[in-house]
Amino acid sequence: MLKLTNLQFALLLLVWLELTTFIVMDGVDFGTGIATIFNHEKDYKDQLIRSIGAVWSGREAWMIVGFALIFAAFPGWYSAIFSGFYPVFIILIVALTMRGLSFEYIDKWQHDKFNIMWRWIFFLGNIVPPFIFGVVFSLFNSGLPIGQNGLLAFKLSTIFNPFALMTGIMFILFALQTSMIRESAFMTEKYQGKITDYQKKLNAIVPIAFVIEIIIYLVVGQGLKLHPIITVALLLLSLLLLIAIRFDEKFKKLHYPMIIISMAAFVISFFWSIFPNVIMSTEGFNLNAQNTASARESQLWAAWLVALMLFLIIFVQGITHYIFRKKYQVKDSDINY
Amino acid sequence: MNALPSLFVTEMSRIQFAVTVITHFLLVATSIGMMLVTVIFEMMYAFGGDKNEKYGRLALFFGRIFFFSFATGVLTGIVMELQFGLNWSSYSKFFGDIIGVPLVIESMLAFFVESNLIGLWRFTWGKMNKKWHAFIGLALLISSMFSIVWIISINAFMQNPYGYHMEGQHARLNSFIDLFENPQYPNEFGHVFIGILIVSGFVTAGISAWQILHKRDPEIFKRALQIGLLVAVPVAFSQQLLADNQIQATMAVQPMKFAAVEGQYDNAGSKTTGVPWYAFATINEQKKTIKGLAIPDLGSYFGSGQFTGKAVGMKTIAKAYHTKFDKTVAKSYKGHMSYYPPVTLMFIAMRWMVYAGFFFTIFGVLAMLMMMRKKKDIAEHRKTLITLGIAMCFPYITITAGWIVAEVGRFPFVVYGLFTQFDAVSPTVTAASVTMSLTIFTIMDALLLYTMVYISHRYMKKGVPDINGEYPELEPHLDPFDRRVFKDA
């Protein structure tokens, strides 16, 4: 097997962690945003938005950091992802942009037309990104044609395969379930019943969908060939936790960490099961952590600076989350959402 | 086989980059500028006595505009980061070692920290010790400003490659420190930073002047006007020195850019005579001639400080570039390369910068004198207030002009003298998809800017909020695409 240098290994690990953290943490926000469509009462929607209002931008920054680290440490990977998935990422950018703006502009208008428009923009902006990330990560795993220049060369129709679509849907479902479990700590009494209701429905749907996903994953994904034990272990862990949440009534407080671990195990399995490759190929050579890496000097700087700053940002994000850990009933001040 | 390669994707990618980066930078400058004055006001509120409540209200007022521009700015920033890979993947593969490192630091230290702090700052107003709250604001400001440090280091490398070595198909970094030892770096950093301060000051002053004109809390906004001018005017003077340094640096590393902004096609000047400086001119890019009103010898003064000296024209430089680069760096153009940047555009952008620089200092000082008059209150100087209000958009045009001179003037290189635009563009991106993305981004950016300006203006009309961030009374307001909006305007 390919022998990575310590630096390459450490940076690959950091990239995995950052992208997984992004999908999990921002997934919660995406799910909350999707859930705004379930009920049209203004108060319900306001409470949902306010529960993530102070933290969503910091969580989304994990994506930026993850991609920037890929750029610095694995430029070959970076250029392959974005030029290969060009139209997909254009849609992602538009979705993320409109979503971010709708936090500011939702319900700021006099005409209901505009309020309804922004509400739909908010919903679409939240449902599209997790789906796209699901599609992209699963295609890394199942393989894409890679040209001689190390860039992806595939038809867009490749995206519409069952593995990619199912993973996209799975990411959305995970996001929804995680957010609904979290929201029970944030919503007022009035909507607790509704939230429990949504939780019950999701508890029933998600494990079943996940079993289907696992079957496709093991057949189409390349994990089973490369790292059978890790792939199966991660997916099983994820599934078991989902089932535990489904049937457990006693330890409700544990549901939130459980679903987070379950989602994280699922997301990281896409990267881990193809280690040390980063994008599998159906034609040509695989892109791996060695042939896409930057030179030692750049990696050294990137690794040290990122590792040192990781403490700073975890500290800052920790403080923010600590302050907003509970129901944070902001007075209806005009400077907030 | 000697046909001209299709430059369509390259040109479209360039336009797309220009559109997105200009939009992004307008918002970045606004965000940092508004945050700067917000922090100044909040510091005065938090550390001043009870009489300083008005500064707290001002902090909320400008903070509100900051929120809108920050949200929009961060989101256009996502486009910027991903665009290196989207449209310029060959470039990011070739130079990823060098530009990736500052970019990852920027995303962690600036982007990440400020995204977290903004939520903290915004949602804890009035719920926290106000001194601590002011320090969160300060941290937010500093982390936003730190972006400039890293981004300019990337740009300085692209203007003047320094501290790298080649290794096969990749440029490798010698040391991260080298990026900051680039002789191009300190000038460029200072020039951009001060440019942002000028935006900050003039926009604050302009908004305040507008509010005074419309009699919305004039007493409070007089203080804001004063502080806005105090931020902008002193640095506007130093900007001229920095600009001159910048010209000198450009002369040394990118003679073509310097000749283009001066519209200098032919060699001119000698040891005893000087080079004319065109105040206004029309340029014929086909025939390569320039006609206009010229001030004798001034052209030599800019950049060297002496009224005599020799200047090399574009024709000579282009010839030298052809022999130097045609067979090496620019070989993928198959000999069809033209090294002339769009001279007219560069010339106009440069003139605008020069005249705007003079305007900021002269008019800024005048406005300050008006404020100091005891006989007549500033609220009665209607013309000064109107000019201040209109002058609000000048710094924006100026930073855009600066971007045009610096980046369009680099034509046809992405990394000067090393890597051309045609080589940098993504080989897999098709004409159709780049056309689609350019259309989408242009529409999106136009809507973003319009909505941002519109909604900020609406909050301006509400006047200063009270110290809890609430507005005295909510007037009915219109939506941005309502027919009545256009009727009023």
Side-chain angles (χ1 to χ4, degrees), chain A residues 26 30 74 81 86 106 129 198 200 237 267 288:
Chain A
D26 219 29
F30 290 136
F74 307 102
I81 302 175
Y86 191 88
I106 203 167
Y198 300 147
K200 272 189 190 142
L237 171 69
V267 175
N288 59 40

Side-chain angles (χ1 to χ4, degrees), chain A residues 37-66:
Chain A
I37 211 77
F38 294 163
N39 189 331
H40 287 298
E41 284 171 50
K42 188 177 180 313
D43 190 33
Y44 165 81
K45 185 181 56 55
D46 280 355
Q47 285 191 24
L48 280 182
I49 291 181
R50 208 167 288 156
S51 73
I52 53 171
V55 288
W56 73 269
S57 61
R59 291 172 172 180
E60 199 173 281
W62 282 103
M63 177 189 78
I64 303 297
V65 175

